[in-house]
Amino acid sequence: MAPDPDDATSTTLELDELWSFVLKKAKEVWVWIALCRKTRQVVAYALGDRSKQTCQRLWEAIPSAYRQGHCFTDFWVAYKAVIPDEQHTAVGKETGETAHVERWNNTLRQRLARFVRMTLSFSKSGWMHEACLLLFLHRSNKERAILLK
């Protein structure tokens, strides 16, 4: 959903990353998520390592209307390097400022076994890993859109 141009809080984002793997645990894949605080919909994602380059890909994937808003993240250094200082606030989990995206990560892990840390289920290819994530994102965003109507 597009942000409401009359509501500055509709572009507030929560960003976070979660660890997963493809085929074996030595092949780490980090899932980076940008979640709109108001609608609870994922507006962008990126898959990769935990580097500044992957964070940059996430930032570029965020639609321009949302990229003007404020972002709350954890203290991972890549966020500070990519997100402009005036739009970025790094916070600890105890503040609750990233609670929605953390909750979304937990829901992903509960509903898709391939994203659980200790699991017998896993993706055998990066393509399938991303395809499963995209299906989950689509369903999650669609459910949120129905709730918001």
Side-chain angles (χ1 to χ4, degrees), residues 65-83:
Y66 285 100
R67 214 175 305 145
Q68 308 308 315
H70 198 78
C71 299
F72 290 92
T73 69
D74 57 19
F75 291 101
W76 188 244
V77 294
Y79 292 120
K80 185 167 177 47
V82 172
I83 303 169

Side-chain angles (χ1 to χ4, degrees), residues 30-50:
W30 288 85
V31 179
W32 294 66
I33 298 293
L35 183 99
C36 174
R37 179 178 282 178
K38 185 163 187 157
T39 64
R40 310 287 197 274
Q41 290 184 313
V42 174
V43 298
Y45 80 97
L47 296 176
D49 55 10
R50 210 169 180 210

Side-chain angles (χ1 to χ4, degrees), residues 96-109:
E97 296 289 355
T98 59
H100 302 110
V101 71
E102 296 287 352
R103 174 69 253 168
W104 191 91
N105 288 345
N106 289 336
T107 301
L108 174 68
R109 289 194 191 280

Side-chain angles (χ1 to χ4, degrees), residues 79-92:
Y79 292 120
K80 185 167 177 47
V82 172
I83 303 169
D85 286 339
E86 63 276 2
Q87 291 177 253
H88 180 236
T89 303
V91 295

Side-chain angles (χ1 to χ4, degrees), residues 113 118-122:
M118 302 294 286
T119 184
L120 296 175
S121 302
F122 57 90

Side-chain angles (χ1 to χ4, degrees), residues 134-148:
L134 283 172
L135 286 170
F136 183 80
L137 285 173
H138 177 73
R139 183 175 182 186
S140 174
N141 282 351
K142 188 175 179 182
E143 288 173 359
R144 291 300 310 172
I146 291 169
L147 290 172
L148 293 170

